[in-house]
Amino acid sequence: MKSIFCIVGVVYMSLLSHTWFISACDQKDELFKMICHDTTGKYNEDTVIHCTLGSVRSNTKVTKLIWMHGGATLIKFSAGSAIEETHDRITLYHKFQDSTTDVSLLIKGTQIKDKGRYECKVVSDAGISHGCVDLKVEAPYSVPIITKHQADGDKVILSCSSHGGYPKGEIQWTDWDGNNVSGEDRFSLESDDRYTLSSNLTINKSLLFYSCSVIKEGVTEHTTEYHGNFLQLLWI
């Protein structure tokens, strides 16, 4: 019986010592809190994920720290050991000390794959606290380019293309009167997860004006206009 109690005690202590690894972003110690802010990063630029610690006690000492993303450990610290960083582009924003109150994360040259949830967990002599941050990443689309191709009879095909954007956008054609016109739309993913958009629109050769806009998340980023050759039409 004593052996059973001994085993149970060992298991309990082992679980207790590892509870700070359990994901619980909505649980915070009333005496020791972490304040984090969701962030939007720009592609290929540095992004700071802000997280700060607050305690009713002064001179609080951090004994354990871990940053995780997608189940993978990015940064790890335990009292008495050097801080471990597993990613060459991701570091703590400030030089770490056990008395620090800012555990913000710095992502250098932000990539699309860096998006998602980040979790920070801290153990101190004032308590345990967890924080979660959702990082969105956006990339601007290039100014669209319109090219013209001859089609059958009195028709021409206008092709509009734009690349390098994220998240996925759309191309919208507009005629002279401001009416939206549907084209034949396509998209593809680039090697770095950014999008290339394209759209073909078949029109009468006699039409002199169309515009092609790149729209991302409901906002127009760029517009390029097509102007037909009026002198050529007079000749025809």
Side-chain angles (χ1 to χ4, degrees):
M1 182 65 71
K2 290 183 178 180
S3 298
I4 294 176
F5 281 122
C6 181
I7 293 173
V8 172
V10 170
V11 172
Y12 173 77
M13 291 303 294
S14 177
L15 290 173
L16 184 63
S17 65
H18 288 81
T19 52
W20 75 292
F21 286 102
I22 299 174
S23 176
C25 296
D26 57 344
Q27 297 179 7
K28 295 187 177 180
D29 194 308
E30 288 299 320
L31 302 179
F32 184 58
K33 294 184 178 181
M34 185 183 302
I35 301 173
C36 300
H37 303 281
D38 290 344
T39 304
T40 298
K42 294 184 178 180
Y43 177 80
N44 230 22
E45 296 184 13
D46 293 351
T47 301
V48 178
I49 296 178
H50 293 282
C51 275
T52 56
L53 305 173
S55 174
V56 296
R57 292 175 45 181
S58 59
N59 301 320
T60 298
K61 300 293 183 182
V62 174
T63 57
K64 290 183 179 181
L65 164 71
I66 189 170
W67 267 105
M68 302 182 72
H69 175 232
T73 299
L74 302 174
I75 294 176
K76 186 177 180 181
F77 166 79
S78 295
S81 303
I83 192 165
E84 301 177 24
E85 297 178 343
T86 63
H87 201 296
D88 57 356
R89 290 191 300 107
I90 301 178
T91 63
L92 289 175
Y93 186 49
H94 298 287
K95 184 177 180 180
F96 181 76
Q97 297 177 336
D98 60 4
S99 59
T100 188
T101 58
D102 192 329
V103 293
S104 299
L105 201 63
L106 171 64
I107 303 175
K108 301 175 183 177
T110 306
Q111 302 295 300
I112 305 301
K113 63 184 179 182
D114 295 329
K115 66 184 176 69
R117 171 153 289 199
Y118 288 76
E119 186 173 354
C120 183
K121 309 173 186 181
V122 173
V123 175
S124 76
D125 54 8
I128 301 173
S129 192
H130 306 177
C132 285
V133 175
D134 289 319
L135 174 64
K136 295 181 179 179
V137 178
E138 64 176 24
Y141 282 91
S142 64
V143 175
I145 296 175
I146 297 177
T147 56
K148 183 177 71 171
H149 310 278
Q150 183 62 46
D152 295 334
D154 61 350
K155 303 289 186 181
V156 294
I157 298 174
L158 301 182
S159 297
C160 180
S161 63
S162 177
H163 65 273
Y166 190 89
K168 182 177 176 290
E170 62 178 338
I171 286 179
Q172 180 64 65
W173 292 98
T174 305
D175 65 15
W176 176 264
D177 296 319
N179 300 312
N180 293 337
V181 183
S182 297
E184 183 182 346
D185 300 333
R186 295 185 178 89
F187 72 89
S188 60
L189 272 177
E190 301 172 14
S191 59
D192 57 5
D193 293 328
R194 292 182 296 165
Y195 285 92
T196 292
L197 308 175
S198 63
S199 181
N200 291 339
L201 181 67
T202 301
I203 64 171
N204 289 323
K205 189 183 299 184
S206 60
L207 297 176
L208 295 177
F209 177 88
Y210 273 90
S211 67
C212 165
S213 299
V214 176
I215 300 175
K216 183 176 71 178
E217 296 185 319
V219 177
T220 300
E221 280 200 342
H222 304 289
T223 298
T224 297
E225 296 179 351
Y226 162 78
H227 297 272
N229 192 331
F230 182 71
L231 292 178
Q232 181 179 352
L233 290 177
L234 289 179
W235 177 259
I236 293 174

